[in-house]
Amino acid sequence: MSWFKRVKENILTKTEEKNNTPDGLWTKCPNCKKALNSRELKKNAYVCMHCEHHLRIGSEEYFELLFDDNQFREIGENIISGDPLSFVDTKKYPDRLIETVSKTGLTDALRSAVGEINGMPLVISCMDFRFIGGSMGSVVGERIAVAIDEAIRIKAPFMIISKSGGARMMEGALSLMQMAKISAKLTRLAAAKLPYISLLTDPTTGGVTASFAMLGDFNIAEPNSLIGFAGPRVIKETIGRDLPEGFQRSEFVLEHGFLDYIVDRKELKDKLASSFRMLLTPEAAAPAVKE
Amino acid sequence: MLSNNIFDFERPIFELENRLNEMRAIAEDSGVEMETATSELEKKIHDLRINIYKNLSRWQRVQISRHPERPYSLDYIAAITDEFIELFGDRNFGDDKAMIGGIGRIGNQSMMFIGQQKGRTTKLRQFRNFGMPNPEGYRKALRLMKIAEKFGMPIVALIDTPGAYPGLEAEERGQGEAIARNLLEMARMNTQIICIVIGEGASGGALGIGIGDRVHMMENTWYSVISPESCSSILWRSWENKEQAAEALKLTAEDNLKLGIIDGIIEEPLGGAHKDPAIAYQNVKEKILADIEELSQISLPDLIDARVEKFSAMGSTRLMEEEWEEEPLTLVNKP
């Protein structure tokens, strides 16, 4: 009757290979499945210490990573969603919104903020994938619009960090028009000769790829991010065969000529600051109007 | 005679029309006076037509927008121009048959046409890739628009697509970038742009040629972020809820006018553009000429400013302090 007896004593699974770890202390890398110490992970810009996988993070983490001393002023944060279509699918849209707000603590799928990056003023709009798949509706559009206005006002460069499944269905054609709206606003930024860098992160698809994410003076991406117009599942269904390895990943997109560079998140801040500094015209680089 | 291209909701009309034809045949053969009966039936058909076609559900409008006999971009162009030269190619990769374009003239007015093109037979449908452009289609459209800009002529974009093509090569060649580029360039294009949705206006594939000073939809067309079928499959996880999805998306011309997304609706003959294309062509032609007349009064800097402002104002948001705005669109077209 020894079949159920332990042959070897003690726990044999290494901590980093454990499947479940308490929240907060440990985070499991979704790629290599190893357990990562959360504090170290944060210090490593949320990049897995073992496999270099860039974990998905949101606006809170990006703002902290990029803004000097995590100091920033949020703009457009009081702009929130209506229900222009009285949209009902399996749920009412307002119910879905309320649920998502209480689950995520976010008020929509994008936040805009002004701060400094290595001492240089910068306006960032950053998407949050946790909010209805980072979907773009009227609030995302309007919060980017006010960010662009602010960048023009204080003569600061601008960046959007994209992470989105595309346009939000629950606002129908109004969501679609956010692509037009932001593209139109970007012409104003271009006319003011202010640099715009678009950072594409995992995943960036649909209407976001087909508008502002591809319109940067520089389009840059984090490694191995899914970037595409149509989703891989849809393409697979359309062409009726499997997709090649690495299809629609950052490296693939760069090889096909649609990215300026791929940047490791640990080096993101410095490389961004350098890029902006070199892009700024001497005129625009003059001391910015601070609030 | 019943054709194959009749929707279920139209069937009662065709049945009555058949009966009318039979009655007339009998009257002719037998010489029996049936004037009263036939005219009564004619009136009945007339009333039924109005009753059915004026109360179409959103899904029924989607069906009409896809009617296989509906006029396509090249049909409109051929009918409304006095002269037209089709132009091909994006100068980079190739010529996209799903996106047509060319220079045309109505009277003394030259204009650049671009538009998605569907095919009418199985072979032609494939040739036209079902009206789903690849990146080179959007780049071809942009190339032609730049010519229009250079020579100061207005651009007319005819929108009719079930979406940009979601293919492997399309991704490799930058479908997203191609559409995005058009949005930006059209927003600041130094000439008048008139866009007309003549059939299907599906998502980014439609918007890729859809930034204009005037955007119109024909009466029986749809324009939204996603097709009702795809919306159904994502939100309900089944293709069966397409009618519900069409209602939820508020995708008709009337809806989009109320939402402030389009500037006007172009009337179609009763039952759809294919019932009497000549009327549809005439209405489109008149609208284009009236728009050009109106837009050419505005200076180009003002025109572009107004265009950017128009699209910048689109959306529906509120401030956190405000209450929910309970202002649902009226469901005029309940199925």
Side-chain angles (χ1 to χ4, degrees):
Chain A
M1 290 293 282
S2 67
W3 58 269
F4 59 87
K5 263 188 147 177
R6 267 181 192 280
V7 182
K8 287 179 188 165
E9 290 299 316
N10 301 329
I11 296 164
L12 296 173
T13 317
K14 283 186 216 146
T15 310
E16 59 198 30
E17 286 167 6
K18 271 177 71 174
N19 279 326
N20 296 305
T21 49
D23 268 2
L25 279 179
W26 297 91
T27 309
K28 198 172 96 175
C29 172
N31 185 47
C32 71
K33 314 286 184 216
K34 287 187 178 153
L36 310 168
N37 179 294
S38 293
R39 206 180 313 142
E40 278 175 44
L41 182 65
K42 187 176 169 182
K43 260 193 259 167
N44 207 41
Y46 305 92
V47 175
C48 173
M49 288 82 90
H50 302 282
C51 71
E52 293 287 310
H53 177 73
H54 285 52
L55 277 80
R56 281 186 188 173
I57 54 175
S59 57
E60 194 187 330
E61 291 82 8
Y62 277 112
F63 287 165
E64 190 173 355
L65 275 170
L66 296 177
F67 285 130
D68 298 346
D69 308 317
N70 198 20
Q71 293 292 304
F72 60 88
R73 170 171 55 89
E74 202 167 337
I75 42 178
E77 76 274 25
N78 62 341
I79 299 164
I80 54 171
S81 192
D83 180 18
L85 305 189
S86 304
F87 194 95
V88 185
D89 53 280
T90 50
K91 253 182 230 170
K92 282 184 181 168
Y93 181 41
D95 293 345
R96 196 183 283 277
L97 283 170
I98 290 164
E99 212 173 274
T100 312
V101 168
S102 66
K103 203 172 72 189
T104 60
L106 297 161
T107 52
D108 214 293
L110 177 134
R111 286 164 73 212
S112 294
V114 196
E116 288 186 351
I117 176 170
N118 291 356
M120 178 178 42
L122 173 69
V123 181
I124 304 179
S125 290
C126 179
M127 303 196 80
D128 279 293
F129 195 73
R130 290 186 301 144
F131 200 96
I132 320 187
S135 56
M136 168 179 53
S138 300
V139 175
V140 168
E142 187 60 17
R143 285 185 182 174
I144 295 178
V146 296
I148 292 173
D149 288 342
E150 182 67 3
I152 294 171
R153 191 181 73 83
I154 65 170
K155 297 195 175 74
F158 177 58
M159 90 176 284
I160 301 180
I161 303 174
S162 295
K163 189 184 282 291
S164 169
R168 190 175 297 168
M169 270 178 282
M170 298 81 174
E171 292 179 30
L174 286 169
S175 295
L176 180 67
M177 292 305 145
Q178 301 312 304
M179 295 166 63
K181 171 173 177 163
I182 300 160
S183 305
K185 289 296 275 192
L186 284 173
T187 64
R188 293 265 162 97
L189 192 76
K193 297 223 182 297
L194 289 166
Y196 161 47
I197 291 183
S198 164
L199 172 66
L200 295 88
T201 72
D202 186 58
T204 300
T205 59
V208 169
T209 304
S211 60
F212 54 83
M214 277 292 166
L215 292 175
D217 294 306
F218 296 167
N219 297 330
I220 66 176
E222 290 184 345
N224 199 38
S225 306
L226 178 75
I227 298 164
F229 172 65
R233 195 180 49 86
V234 176
I235 299 169
K236 207 175 144 181
E237 275 170 21
T238 308
I239 63 171
R241 59 188 147 97
D242 284 335
L243 301 172
E245 180 76 22
F247 179 66
Q248 289 186 316
R249 295 285 159 185
S250 312
E251 296 71 18
F252 170 97
V253 181
L254 182 133
E255 282 310 312
H256 283 90
F258 296 99
L259 292 175
D260 289 278
Y261 59 81
I262 294 171
V263 59
D264 189 301
R265 198 187 283 150
K266 298 190 288 292
E267 290 146 24
L268 175 63
K269 182 173 178 173
D270 288 342
K271 200 155 178 184
L272 263 178
S274 297
S275 300
F276 278 126
R277 212 175 286 283
M278 287 190 270
L279 271 174
L280 277 171
T281 56
E283 184 192 341
V289 187
K290 277 207 191 167
E291 205 203 340
Chain B
M1 194 182 73
L2 280 178
S3 106
N4 291 325
N5 296 323
I6 291 169
F7 302 119
D8 282 344
F9 62 85
E10 297 177 303
R11 215 157 277 282
I13 299 169
F14 284 84
E15 276 162 9
L16 286 191
E17 276 175 351
N18 272 358
R19 208 195 301 164
L20 180 67
N21 289 340
E22 279 165 21
M23 227 187 240
R24 281 187 181 138
I26 292 168
E28 207 166 290
D29 287 351
S30 62
V32 181
E33 175 58 50
M34 293 177 92
E35 190 77 24
T36 347
T38 51
S39 67
E40 242 172 55
L41 193 54
E42 268 168 20
K43 190 180 177 309
K44 207 171 159 189
I45 292 170
H46 177 76
D47 292 347
L48 186 63
R49 265 210 197 111
I50 289 176
N51 191 28
I52 287 176
Y53 290 130
K54 290 288 174 193
N55 293 295
L56 293 169
S57 74
R58 291 185 171 91
W59 173 247
Q60 287 164 349
R61 294 227 189 246
V62 172
Q63 287 178 292
I64 294 182
S65 79
R66 295 170 178 166
H67 196 286
E69 285 156 19
R70 211 178 152 81
Y72 298 141
S73 292
L74 285 171
D75 301 321
Y76 279 98
I77 294 170
I80 67 180
T81 54
D82 299 320
E83 196 181 357
F84 175 68
I85 299 169
E86 191 174 352
L87 303 166
F88 301 89
D90 74 338
R91 296 286 193 275
N92 276 301
F93 178 79
D95 182 56
D96 192 336
K97 305 302 177 195
M99 182 77 79
I100 58 94
I103 190 167
R105 182 178 59 78
I106 303 176
N108 291 325
Q109 178 70 58
S110 302
M111 56 194 82
M112 187 63 80
F113 287 91
I114 53 172
Q116 290 100 354
Q117 178 70 27
K118 292 179 176 175
R120 215 169 290 286
T121 62
T122 307
K123 217 171 171 181
L124 280 176
R125 270 192 280 274
Q126 278 172 350
F127 177 70
R128 296 293 181 187
N129 201 27
F130 304 90
M132 295 188 282
N134 274 287
E136 52 273 21
Y138 294 98
R139 293 182 182 127
K140 170 183 177 179
L142 182 58
R143 182 178 80 80
L144 300 187
M145 288 191 274
K146 288 284 185 185
I147 297 175
E149 182 181 48
K150 180 177 174 185
F151 293 100
M153 66 179 78
I155 296 162
V156 177
L158 302 175
I159 297 170
D160 187 10
T161 180
Y165 188 59
L168 189 137
E169 289 83 6
E171 293 293 319
E172 290 179 336
R173 297 198 289 273
Q175 188 73 283
E177 194 275 344
I179 293 171
R181 184 69 43 206
N182 280 13
L183 303 185
L184 185 88
E185 293 300 340
M186 289 181 88
R188 61 184 177 193
M189 190 69 64
N190 242 315
T191 190
Q192 302 85 2
I193 308 177
I194 300 155
C195 306
I196 303 173
V197 182
I198 59 166
E200 298 189 83
S203 200
L207 190 66
I209 56 164
I211 313 294
D213 302 301
R214 294 289 180 272
V215 180
H216 305 289
M217 286 175 73
M218 300 200 65
E219 203 181 332
N220 296 301
T221 63
W222 68 274
Y223 193 9
S224 192
V225 70
I226 191 166
S227 74
E229 287 93 336
S230 301
C231 178
S232 163
S233 85
I234 295 172
L235 292 180
W236 283 270
R237 301 191 186 285
S238 141
W239 294 88
E240 298 308 308
N241 298 64
K242 52 187 190 286
E243 292 175 43
Q244 228 175 316
E247 286 301 312
L249 284 168
K250 312 271 189 298
L251 42 59
T252 64
E254 250 173 82
D255 294 328
N256 280 307
L257 188 64
K258 280 185 202 157
L259 290 167
I261 284 168
I262 59 165
D263 302 290
I265 300 173
I266 299 175
E267 212 179 307
E268 291 183 27
L270 200 62
H274 57 288
K275 298 278 183 192
D276 192 347
I279 296 180
Y281 299 147
Q282 189 56 34
N283 292 351
V284 166
K285 182 176 177 174
E286 278 169 16
K287 181 58 84 182
I288 291 171
L289 291 176
D291 278 352
I292 292 175
E293 170 74 26
E294 193 192 327
L295 294 172
S296 56
Q297 310 293 320
I298 308 167
S299 78
L300 286 176
D302 286 353
L303 189 73
I304 293 166
D305 258 356
R307 190 188 303 152
V308 170
E309 288 305 321
K310 179 176 92 161
F311 283 96
S312 297
M314 287 184 189
S316 160
T317 58
R318 65 200 167 104
L319 294 177
M320 217 170 266
E321 303 79 46
E322 290 169 4
E323 290 295 306
W324 278 106
E325 253 179 70
E326 283 290 348
E327 220 179 275
L329 288 168
T330 35
L331 299 172
V332 274
N333 295 328
K334 273 241 176 238

